[in-house]
Amino acid sequence: MPIITVKLAKGRSLQTKRKLVQALTETAVSLLDVKSEWVTVLIEEYDRENWASNGKLHSEKFGKGFGKKGAK
Amino acid sequence: MPIITVKLAKGRSLQTKRKLVQALTETAVSLLDVKSEWVTVLIEEYDRENWASNGKLHSEKFGKGFGKKGAK
Amino acid sequence: MPIITVKLAKGRSLQTKRKLVQALTETAVSLLDVKSEWVTVLIEEYDRENWASNGKLHSEKFGKGFGKKGAK
Amino acid sequence: MPIITVKLAKGRSLQTKRKLVQALTETAVSLLDVKSEWVTVLIEEYDRENWASNGKLHSEKFGKGFGKKGAK
Amino acid sequence: MPIITVKLAKGRSLQTKRKLVQALTETAVSLLDVKSEWVTVLIEEYDRENWASNGKLHSEKFGKGFGKKGAK
Amino acid sequence: MPIITVKLAKGRSLQTKRKLVQALTETAVSLLDVKSEWVTVLIEEYDRENWASNGKLHSEKFGKGFGKKGAK
């Protein structure tokens, strides 16, 4: 029943996504008293030009990429 | 006023989308006491590698495609 | 697999909600080539003071209520 | 930067929420190459009468409660 | 057509909400080449115990309240 | 802390996005008693074939484009 949505910068590998959904599902199962097959995980990828903090687009703050790439 | 969002696997045809938004809007109008022009429908398409259930990505569970394609 | 979210003004009866989720699910099944048990429907209710169009809160445009109640 | 949203049935304790946000944040940090202070977690709680699967409201399928309470 | 959603801590006054939706709508109209009546604004209020950053619930980091109340 | 999401038709320029996130952030700071660095803005772009009102897809109502392009 829980639906977990992860909004993040575009570009993670399939391998990262595979591990991510598995780990998030295990967390939900162990803490929320739900069955594994009830858990849905959605990954929503954003271009850095569509994400801003402190009034600035991340494409301009951090350049291209994702995660700590480009960030100080 | 109602906003109906449909999250689903990428790949439906324009014809399917056309029928879908019409049918959802008619349902809202007939059950919710609203005018047709108040109803907004948004379609949000996901790659199967961005949707998981039971801890597994749908691209790996079902292969490429959408709907029952690839599902048992 | 589809997740249908309906954002609307607070206050519909349980009977309306029951019919709504049934009708939306049937629409999804008939048009999207999915099984009924794959379809999730979420209802998200908003106070009219948290919904605005044309720059005005609906609580002030339409008064209390939902649907066409209070609307011209 | 990642924003993790968890939609679930209303009623978890503060202690459960505390552990949940900590565990989800740790998962994001360890798999997504982000700093802990970049991770936001939002918990969105639904009444069971606002959540449906297979065309039926969970309040009617499972009764009151959350998690496996009321479910077979 | 644009739909602007503001997720924030619960507790702003009606007067604040009124000004907020007006200002956001004006921004959309002036920058996005849309008509005022096309713009919808939704306000989504969260209890601080449902919002976390850096792995900690805001109710525990900041106490009750909203905005800078309780924050250093 | 506020997260502002703008759903709109695809196609705005980088310059428009830059101004938009800056203006929305300033509005939040001036009205919500928050710090600028707490404000996140997400832009979610939709193809016109994924947005409908009054039961019709905007790609069919308005043609290609965004804003008032194609609209009467």
Side-chain angles (χ1 to χ4, degrees):
Chain A
M1 188 175 171
I3 299 172
I4 301 174
T5 305
V6 186
K7 295 176 187 288
L8 79 189
K10 192 175 279 181
R12 265 71 180 192
S13 69
L14 195 59
Q15 172 63 2
T16 296
K17 293 177 179 180
R18 187 187 294 126
K19 287 183 189 168
L20 179 68
V21 302
Q22 189 180 351
L24 295 174
T25 301
E26 285 168 3
T27 296
V29 169
S30 73
L31 293 176
L32 296 175
D33 186 37
V34 295
K35 300 181 190 176
S36 179
E37 59 266 35
W38 291 2
V39 182
T40 299
V41 181
L42 305 178
I43 299 173
E44 299 183 348
E45 299 185 289
Y46 288 74
D47 284 321
R48 275 191 170 177
E49 73 172 66
N50 287 334
W51 195 301
S53 52
N54 200 1
K56 290 193 200 69
L57 300 174
H58 282 196
S59 54
E60 311 205 322
K61 263 170 115 165
F62 300 134
K64 302 212 165 194
F66 58 87
K68 287 185 279 191
K69 287 198 187 85
K72 300 104 227 187
Chain B
M1 190 175 169
I3 299 172
I4 302 174
T5 304
V6 186
K7 295 176 186 291
L8 79 191
K10 193 175 278 182
R12 267 69 179 193
S13 69
L14 195 59
Q15 172 63 2
T16 296
K17 291 178 179 179
R18 188 187 292 126
K19 286 183 189 167
L20 179 68
V21 301
Q22 189 179 351
L24 296 174
T25 301
E26 285 168 3
T27 296
V29 168
S30 74
L31 294 175
L32 296 176
D33 186 38
V34 295
K35 300 183 190 175
S36 179
E37 60 265 35
W38 292 2
V39 182
T40 298
V41 182
L42 305 178
I43 300 173
E44 299 184 347
E45 300 185 289
Y46 288 73
D47 284 321
R48 275 192 169 175
E49 73 172 66
N50 286 333
W51 194 302
S53 53
N54 200 1
K56 290 191 200 71
L57 299 173
H58 282 196
S59 54
E60 312 206 320
K61 262 170 116 166
F62 300 134
K64 301 211 166 196
F66 57 89
K68 288 185 280 191
K69 285 197 188 87
K72 300 105 226 186
Chain C
M1 192 175 169
I3 298 172
I4 301 175
T5 304
V6 185
K7 296 176 186 290
L8 80 190
K10 193 176 278 183
R12 266 71 180 191
S13 69
L14 195 59
Q15 173 63 1
T16 297
K17 292 178 179 179
R18 187 186 294 127
K19 285 182 189 168
L20 180 67
V21 302
Q22 189 179 352
L24 295 174
T25 301
E26 285 167 4
T27 296
V29 169
S30 74
L31 293 176
L32 295 176
D33 186 36
V34 295
K35 300 182 189 176
S36 179
E37 60 266 35
W38 291 3
V39 182
T40 298
V41 181
L42 305 178
I43 300 174
E44 299 184 347
E45 299 185 289
Y46 288 73
D47 285 320
R48 272 190 172 179
E49 73 172 65
N50 286 334
W51 194 300
S53 52
N54 201 358
K56 291 191 199 69
L57 299 174
H58 283 196
S59 54
E60 312 206 322
K61 262 169 114 166
F62 299 134
K64 300 213 166 196
F66 58 88
K68 287 185 280 191
K69 285 198 188 85
K72 301 105 228 185
Chain D
M1 193 174 169
I3 298 173
I4 301 174
T5 304
V6 185
K7 296 176 186 289
L8 79 189
K10 192 176 279 183
R12 266 70 179 193
S13 68
L14 195 59
Q15 172 63 359
T16 297
K17 292 177 179 180
R18 187 186 295 127
K19 285 183 189 167
L20 179 68
V21 302
Q22 188 179 351
L24 296 174
T25 301
E26 284 168 3
T27 296
V29 168
S30 74
L31 293 176
L32 296 176
D33 186 35
V34 295
K35 299 183 190 175
S36 179
E37 59 265 35
W38 291 3
V39 182
T40 297
V41 181
L42 305 178
I43 299 174
E44 299 184 348
E45 299 185 289
Y46 288 74
D47 283 321
R48 272 190 172 177
E49 74 173 67
N50 286 334
W51 194 301
S53 52
N54 201 359
K56 291 192 199 68
L57 299 174
H58 283 195
S59 54
E60 312 206 322
K61 262 170 115 165
F62 300 133
K64 301 212 166 196
F66 58 89
K68 287 185 279 190
K69 286 199 187 85
K72 300 107 228 184
Chain E
M1 191 173 169
I3 299 173
I4 301 174
T5 305
V6 185
K7 296 176 186 290
L8 79 190
K10 192 176 279 181
R12 265 71 180 191
S13 69
L14 195 58
Q15 173 63 2
T16 297
K17 291 177 179 180
R18 187 186 296 126
K19 286 183 190 168
L20 179 68
V21 302
Q22 188 179 351
L24 295 174
T25 302
E26 284 167 6
T27 296
V29 168
S30 74
L31 293 176
L32 296 175
D33 186 36
V34 295
K35 300 182 190 177
S36 179
E37 60 266 34
W38 292 2
V39 182
T40 298
V41 181
L42 304 178
I43 299 174
E44 300 184 347
E45 299 185 289
Y46 288 74
D47 284 320
R48 274 192 171 176
E49 73 172 66
N50 286 335
W51 194 300
S53 52
N54 201 359
K56 290 191 200 70
L57 299 173
H58 282 196
S59 54
E60 312 205 322
K61 264 169 114 164
F62 300 133
K64 301 212 167 196
F66 57 89
K68 288 184 279 190
K69 286 199 188 83
K72 300 106 224 185
Chain F
M1 188 173 168
I3 299 172
I4 301 174
T5 304
V6 185
K7 296 176 186 289
L8 79 190
K10 193 176 279 184
R12 266 70 180 193
S13 68
L14 194 60
Q15 173 62 2
T16 297
K17 293 177 178 177
R18 188 185 294 128
K19 286 182 189 168
L20 180 67
V21 302
Q22 189 180 351
L24 295 174
T25 301
E26 285 168 3
T27 296
V29 168
S30 74
L31 293 176
L32 296 176
D33 186 36
V34 295
K35 300 183 190 174
S36 178
E37 60 265 36
W38 290 2
V39 182
T40 298
V41 182
L42 304 178
I43 299 173
E44 300 185 347
E45 299 185 289
Y46 288 73
D47 284 322
R48 274 192 170 176
E49 74 172 67
N50 287 334
W51 195 300
S53 52
N54 200 1
K56 290 190 201 71
L57 299 174
H58 283 196
S59 54
E60 311 205 323
K61 264 171 115 166
F62 300 134
K64 302 213 166 194
F66 57 88
K68 288 185 278 191
K69 287 199 186 84
K72 300 105 228 185

